[in-house]
Amino acid sequence: ANLVTLAGLALTGGVGLESGDDKRRGGGVYAPPGASLTLDGCDVFGNTADWGGGVYAESLDLRATTIRDNVAEAGGGVFIVAAGSGTADVDSACEANTGASGGGGLYLDGGASWSGGYLRRNESAYGGGASLAAGASLSGVRAEANIATYSGGGIYGMGPINIENCATADNVAEYGGGVFAWGDLTLAGS
C-alpha cells in the first residue's frame, strides 16, 4: 500500500475528483485505491462532493483531526469504500457535515469498517451520524446530537451490519433516533 500522511493542514474549498461515472469523490481529500491515508492534526472543512464531502478513502486514520461543515450526497464528512477501513482517535471528530441521502458524518460502503472517534451534529435523510451498507461494521464510536430526516438519527444500517461498543445520545429521527437497522443487526456492548 502507498502510505500518505498529511499533518497540520487546513483543507477547504475542494469540490472532489470527477471519475468516469460522473461522481465527484473526496471534496477535501481523495485517496486513490490502494492508498493508506493518515490525517494528523488537520482541519477538513467547507468542501463538497457527491461521495465523501470531506474525505473519500479506502484506508483512513484520523489523529487529532476534525472533519466539519462538508457536504455530499453520501458521506458528508467521510466516505469509506467497500471493504475499506477507517480509525479515529479520541481527539478526532466528524461534525456538522451534511450527507443529503445517507451518512451525514460517515458513510461505510459494503463490508467497510470504522473504529473510534465522535460523530456530532451531522445531518442526513438516513443516518445523521453514520450510514452503513450491508456487511459494514462500526465500533467504539460516540454518535451525539445528529439528525436524520427519516431513519437512524445516530446510526442507520441496511443490514446485515455490526455495531460494537458504540454510544448514542441526543440524536433525532422520525424512526430510530439512536439506531435504525433495516435487516440483520448484531449489537454488542453498546
Side-chain angles (χ1 to χ4, degrees):
N2 297 317
L3 304 176
V4 177
T5 299
L6 302 176
L9 298 175
L11 302 162
T12 189
V15 295
L17 179 67
E18 190 172 334
S19 61
D21 61 3
D22 294 328
K23 295 288 184 189
R24 291 192 173 276
R25 292 169 168 81
V29 181
Y30 171 83
S36 182
L37 175 65
T38 298
L39 297 179
D40 189 350
C42 293
D43 189 9
V44 182
F45 65 98
N47 302 288
T48 61
D50 294 306
W51 295 344
V55 180
Y56 179 93
E58 180 178 333
S59 175
L60 177 63
D61 181 20
L62 300 180
R63 301 175 188 168
T65 290
T66 302
I67 312 290
R68 63 180 174 89
D69 302 305
N70 300 288
V71 177
E73 182 65 26
V78 173
F79 187 109
I80 299 294
V81 302
S85 65
T87 60
D89 67 11
V90 297
D91 296 319
S92 294
C94 290
E95 56 189 30
N97 298 289
T98 302
S101 64
L106 174 66
Y107 185 93
L108 299 178
D109 208 357
S113 64
W114 184 271
S115 178
Y118 291 87
L119 303 171
R120 294 186 197 113
R121 299 185 319 278
N122 300 289
E123 294 187 24
S124 183
Y126 298 92
S131 185
L132 286 64
S137 299
L138 191 66
S139 66
V141 170
R142 179 157 177 92
E144 56 189 30
N146 299 289
I147 298 172
T149 309
Y150 300 110
S151 303
I155 302 166
Y156 174 87
M158 198 67 171
I161 60 168
N162 297 299
I163 299 173
E164 185 175 343
N165 297 322
C166 292
T168 65
D170 304 319
N171 299 289
V172 177
E174 185 173 353
Y175 302 102
V179 176
F180 182 94
W182 190 265
D184 294 339
L185 165 66
T186 301
L187 186 64
S190 297

